[in-house]
Amino acid sequence: MKELIRKAVTWVLVILAGFLSLAVIMMCCLTISSMLCLGYVAIILYCLIPRSWSYVGISLSVIAACLYICAMFLCLFYQPGSVLLSALLPIMAVLAMLKGKPLWMWGLVALIFLAMGVFSLFYNDIIGPMTFMICDRPIDVPAQWGHCYRLFWSALLFNIVAYRAGILSILVLSGISLYKRYRKPCEDLEV
């Protein structure tokens, strides 16, 4: 009886994870930035889920990731939450890729984030304080940020830096990984 219950729970979790994944993929196909968030979640799941986990562990991880993306979409009606949740995805993806890597790679990624932060400080398209205060959309933007332009500006700058540096860091880490993986066969051919 216990074995039957365990198999039923496993199948329910697998089916639920599949349906949630399809729903999230369809939601993320609406915009390019949403597709980018889906890619970040895929990187996080690929790097953090051990290959030895059973269907239950993998299904629970996929369900948690789908719920995170759904929470991010629900926070579209509360901009500070949406900005924070979407800025954490590239940072978590980079940290997942850096797990177990040497210290020089951590330093390289920190340098990328620092350089992108300085670049984004001067080259951004964040609205000014006057536009911020007169902004009246269907959702009152200044009220969501507590009528504090500096909070709004710093959070959007954090989001911009996280996205730009996250993409660049993932490309650099993937390039280093591919170079290390395919360097050996080329060296064997030269000898």
Side-chain angles (χ1 to χ4, degrees), residues 54-67:
S54 65
Y55 290 119
V56 174
I58 293 171
S59 297
L60 288 175
S61 299
V62 169
I63 289 170
C66 290
L67 291 178

Side-chain angles (χ1 to χ4, degrees), residues 97-144:
M97 287 182 76
L98 281 173
K99 187 181 84 169
K101 297 289 194 265
L103 193 59
W104 68 269
M105 284 188 175
W106 285 82
L108 179 65
V109 168
L111 188 65
I112 290 172
F113 270 86
L114 181 68
M116 197 55 66
V118 170
F119 176 78
S120 296
L121 183 64
F122 297 106
Y123 296 101
N124 58 51
D125 58 350
I126 301 173
I127 61 174
M130 185 60 77
T131 309
F132 172 75
M133 290 311 281
I134 63 173
C135 191
D136 188 27
R137 295 186 179 149
I139 301 168
D140 189 23
V141 174
Q144 289 185 2

Side-chain angles (χ1 to χ4, degrees), residues 19 32 55 59 62 70 73 75 87 96 103 122 130 151-153 155 188:
F19 280 133
I32 292 178
Y55 290 119
S59 297
V62 169
C70 289
F73 276 112
C75 280
L103 193 59
F122 297 106
M130 185 60 77
L151 174 65
F152 170 78
W153 182 84
D188 293 340

Side-chain angles (χ1 to χ4, degrees), residues 17 20-22 24 27 41 45 61-71:
L20 278 176
S21 298
L22 287 174
V24 164
M27 276 192 320
V41 169
L45 289 177
S61 299
V62 169
I63 289 170
C66 290
L67 291 178
Y68 184 90
I69 291 180
C70 289

